[in-house]
Amino acid sequence: MKVLVFHIGADRYGLPLRQVRRVLPSLELKGIPLAPDSVAGLMNLHGTPLPVIDLSRISGRAPSRQHYDTRIVVADYIAPNGTVHALGLMAERVQGVQDVAPQNLAPSGVQAAPFLGQVAGDAHGMVQLVEVNDLLPAELRARLFPAELATG
Amino acid sequence: MIGGGAAVVVLSLLISYTLARAILGPLAGLTTALSRLGSGDQAVRVAVTSGDELGKVSEDFNKMAVLLQSATQRELDLTNELRAKVDSLLEVVSRAAGGDMTGKISVGGDDAIGQLGDGLQRMFDNLRQLLTNVQKAGIQVTTSATEIAASAKQQEATGVEQAQTSVEVLSTTKEISSNTSQLLKTMEDATAVADYTTSATSEAQGNLRRMDQTMQNMVNATDSINAKLAALSEKASNINSVLTTITKVADQTNILSLNAAIEAEKAGEAGRGFSVVATEIRRLADQTSVSTWDIEQMLKEMQSAVSASVMGMDKFSEEIRRSVGEVRQVTDQLSGVMDQVQKLAPQFDAVLQGMQAQAVGAQQITETMMQLNDATQQTVESLKATSEAVHQLQYAAGDLQSSVSTFAVNA
């Protein structure tokens, strides 16, 4: 499977490419007062407002630094009820697409953040998969997608 | 018997006696008178007791005695008169000898005594006149001598005072002379210092001019460096803008390649070849990005170095300009100082000449004062001698006066 490799801190993580819609440069985000810390702001995707989650922040780290390779990845978030939402993910040092052989994937064996999945080793170290659908805790999901709450 | 004998004897004696008396008596009287006459008693007279020869003798004797007595009396009178005249003269002369010249010669006449008296009278008159004159002259001499003595004393005192004053003046003049000498030395030193200052200032001015020139050169060099740095900075900015463009392009290429890879992945087998191309593009874009980043970093470093240099050069340039200004100011001030000092030198010379003249003058004054002092000392000596002489004169005049005063010239 192919993953989009990015970094949280010094470690490499991979977003499954099938859930990535596109990669965008780091845009000017609109701030959202009183929003949770992990919400970097609101972006405008062709006229549609899109909440952006800071992957560094949601992992309990300092906010992402604005490097040239800090990107906003527009991913498909599939809510538990099956609804697909576009969700902006701010990621540091987005390196590119890497192919991870399914046989190399192994469970991490450590119960940590709920969105962290299997790990795969390669020549440069280990890449841990990030499950987009598990990124948002229920409360945050409710805040970001209140319509779903109303419907669900 | 004895009585009878005795009576006879007495009777005989009586007769003898009566006889003797009758003859011997007048003879004896005559003899006595003669004897008395012979011894000078011209008043002696013999009593004429009889008219006999004896009586005649007695009468003649008496006549002779009267003649003798009258002649003697006349002679005595003449002698007495002469003696009186001589006594009178002698008295006057004696008084004159005792100093009393008031005596008058009352003796006159044509005889020798009278002529002597007249001569003495004239002599006394002349002597009196002379003595009077001498007395007057003596008084005058004494008075004058006293005045002269007082005057001499005063003069002596004045002379002594003058001598003291001249000694004081002399010491003062000597002091002035030595002070002037010292002052002269100081002035010579000051002149030397002024000359040295002039030459030193001139040298300093030359040095400052050279420094000014050097600084001007430095300013020019700095300006040139600044211009070059500015050009460099501008070029770096240009490069930077180009780099920014490249970076943007690389970034967009990167994103494009990422999205292409995503699209290729979504296309499945159909996008396999495209995926390879996208990966290659992405790799190139990444390399470009990294290189651009490096260049950008280098450029930034260069730019910051350049701007630091520019700032440093600006500061340096400013400092140099300030230094140039200060140096010029110092040069101007030094020029002023030198002008003043150069003006000072002739003034010092004038003062020096004046002081030299003063020193010479003071020396001359000292010499003159020493001469004056000697003269004053001599004057004082002379005055002392004069005073002594006047004292002697006073004594002499006093003696003269006292000598003359023993002569009484007024009755």
Side-chain angles (χ1 to χ4, degrees):
Chain A
M1 67 179 291
K2 297 223 170 176
V3 293
L4 184 67
V5 177
F6 68 98
H7 288 74
I8 295 173
D11 301 320
R12 286 192 297 154
Y13 294 88
L15 277 172
L17 214 57
R18 62 177 187 287
Q19 276 191 272
V20 174
R21 282 195 195 173
R22 62 183 307 180
V23 179
L24 295 172
S26 184
L27 305 164
E28 283 281 320
L29 298 180
K30 185 201 169 298
I32 307 171
L34 293 177
D37 287 342
S38 50
V39 180
L42 211 58
M43 69 171 282
N44 182 355
L45 181 68
H46 310 304
T48 311
L50 203 65
V52 178
I53 300 296
D54 189 335
L55 288 174
S56 275
R57 202 74 190 264
I58 209 166
S59 311
R61 290 177 167 272
S64 295
R65 289 163 294 176
Q66 293 299 312
H67 282 306
Y68 72 97
D69 52 358
T70 299
R71 311 292 187 198
I72 289 174
V73 180
V74 181
D76 291 328
Y77 174 73
I78 302 163
N81 60 0
T83 318
V84 177
H85 297 280
L87 182 65
L89 301 173
M90 189 179 277
E92 272 187 358
R93 292 163 66 194
V94 176
Q95 279 187 334
V97 179
Q98 193 177 332
D99 205 353
V100 179
Q103 64 270 21
N104 287 344
L105 285 168
S108 68
V110 181
Q111 284 295 309
F115 51 85
L116 293 178
Q118 290 174 305
V119 293
D122 62 10
H124 303 291
M126 290 206 292
V127 178
Q128 186 162 29
L129 296 183
V130 172
E131 295 299 333
V132 178
N133 298 342
D134 298 330
L135 262 175
L136 303 178
E139 189 225 356
L140 184 57
R141 189 174 63 236
R143 278 182 179 237
L144 293 179
F145 310 114
E148 188 204 337
L149 191 71
T151 52
Chain B
M1 230 0 223
I2 299 172
V8 169
V9 171
V10 169
L11 192 59
S12 71
L13 278 176
L14 198 63
I15 295 160
S16 304
Y17 174 72
T18 308
L19 276 173
R21 240 194 95 181
I23 304 161
L24 288 176
L27 263 176
L30 200 60
T31 307
T32 306
L34 272 171
S35 174
R36 282 176 59 190
L37 188 66
S39 67
D41 184 7
Q42 291 175 347
V44 71
R45 293 302 181 263
V46 179
V48 181
T49 55
S50 61
D52 59 3
E53 283 88 9
L54 209 55
K56 207 160 162 57
V57 169
S58 293
E59 269 184 31
D60 286 346
F61 175 82
N62 278 351
K63 279 180 191 170
M64 185 193 77
V66 166
L67 276 172
L68 198 63
Q69 194 179 12
S70 70
T72 306
Q73 190 60 49
R74 209 168 50 240
E75 198 177 340
L76 191 69
D77 286 350
L78 277 170
T79 306
N80 281 344
E81 194 187 341
L82 190 64
R83 185 182 292 149
K85 281 181 179 173
V86 169
D87 280 350
S88 164
L89 282 176
L90 194 64
E91 191 202 345
V92 172
V93 168
S94 294
R95 276 170 65 192
D100 185 2
M101 303 294 275
T102 56
K104 292 275 183 205
I105 306 285
S106 53
V107 177
D110 294 335
D111 59 353
I113 292 290
Q115 281 172 2
L116 179 64
D118 285 347
L120 278 173
Q121 184 60 44
R122 278 201 302 279
M123 191 185 79
F124 278 137
D125 284 347
N126 287 339
L127 267 177
R128 261 199 301 275
Q129 190 60 42
L130 179 67
L131 280 170
T132 307
N133 288 344
V134 167
Q135 269 180 338
K136 277 183 190 162
I139 288 165
Q140 267 182 349
V141 166
T142 309
T143 311
S144 299
T146 306
E147 278 172 11
I148 289 168
S151 173
K153 270 259 188 280
Q154 210 170 349
Q155 269 183 348
E156 196 184 319
T158 311
V160 168
E161 212 173 312
Q162 212 172 357
Q164 281 175 352
T165 309
S166 72
V167 166
E168 279 170 20
V169 170
L170 192 62
S171 77
T172 309
T173 323
K174 270 180 184 161
E175 211 172 322
I176 288 171
S177 188
S178 85
N179 281 350
T180 311
S181 296
Q182 274 183 347
L183 219 52
L184 199 63
K185 203 174 167 303
T186 311
M187 276 313 293
E188 275 165 5
D189 289 352
T191 309
V193 170
D195 286 349
Y196 176 73
T197 308
T198 308
S199 70
T201 314
S202 172
E203 210 175 313
Q205 226 178 4
N207 288 340
L208 280 172
R209 273 204 202 94
R210 280 199 292 281
M211 204 162 141
D212 190 32
Q213 190 55 47
T214 309
M215 289 222 163
Q216 198 56 52
N217 291 344
M218 275 164 89
V219 167
N220 294 342
T222 316
D223 285 348
S224 152
I225 291 170
N226 266 348
K228 278 171 186 160
L229 280 174
L232 200 64
S233 188
E234 199 186 328
K235 285 197 171 108
S237 291
N238 291 345
I239 293 170
N240 211 17
S241 67
V242 172
L243 274 180
T244 308
T245 310
I246 292 170
T247 308
K248 272 183 188 165
V249 169
D251 199 37
Q252 279 168 4
T253 311
N254 183 286
I255 289 170
L256 204 61
S257 74
L258 277 177
N259 287 320
I262 290 163
E263 291 303 324
E265 180 64 21
K266 283 185 178 166
E269 275 305 313
R272 185 74 60 198
F274 187 62
S275 173
V276 172
V277 175
T279 306
E280 200 56 34
I281 290 170
R282 190 178 55 81
R283 203 176 56 79
L284 286 173
D286 280 354
Q287 272 181 6
T288 310
S289 263
V290 168
S291 297
T292 314
W293 177 257
D294 287 349
I295 291 170
E296 209 178 305
Q297 289 310 307
M298 281 191 275
L299 200 65
K300 267 181 189 161
E301 278 171 22
M302 197 178 94
Q303 265 181 319
S304 77
V306 166
S307 63
S309 295
V310 167
M311 272 166 66
M313 283 312 286
D314 279 351
K315 211 169 151 189
F316 183 57
S317 176
E318 188 52 42
E319 274 174 12
I320 284 176
R321 280 206 184 85
R322 209 171 50 229
S323 295
V324 167
E326 280 169 4
V327 164
R328 281 195 182 144
Q329 209 176 339
V330 170
T331 310
D332 288 352
Q333 282 173 352
L334 272 177
S335 291
V337 167
M338 206 160 80
D339 286 351
Q340 293 299 321
V341 169
Q342 273 167 352
K343 270 187 220 161
L344 213 56
Q347 284 176 356
F348 271 7
D349 282 347
V351 171
L352 198 64
Q353 279 173 8
M355 298 208 88
Q356 275 164 348
Q358 209 180 354
V360 171
Q363 191 58 41
Q364 282 174 352
I365 288 171
T366 306
E367 281 166 14
T368 311
M369 278 315 294
M370 278 167 85
Q371 284 171 1
L372 194 62
N373 198 24
D374 289 350
T376 312
Q377 290 290 350
Q378 282 174 2
T379 307
V380 169
E381 292 301 319
S382 301
L383 279 170
K384 273 181 181 162
T386 306
S387 200
E388 190 58 34
V390 169
H391 268 306
Q392 283 174 359
L393 184 62
Q394 254 183 321
Y395 285 137
D399 282 352
L400 181 66
Q401 234 181 345
S402 68
S403 298
V404 172
S405 70
T406 54
F407 293 102
V409 289
N410 297 316

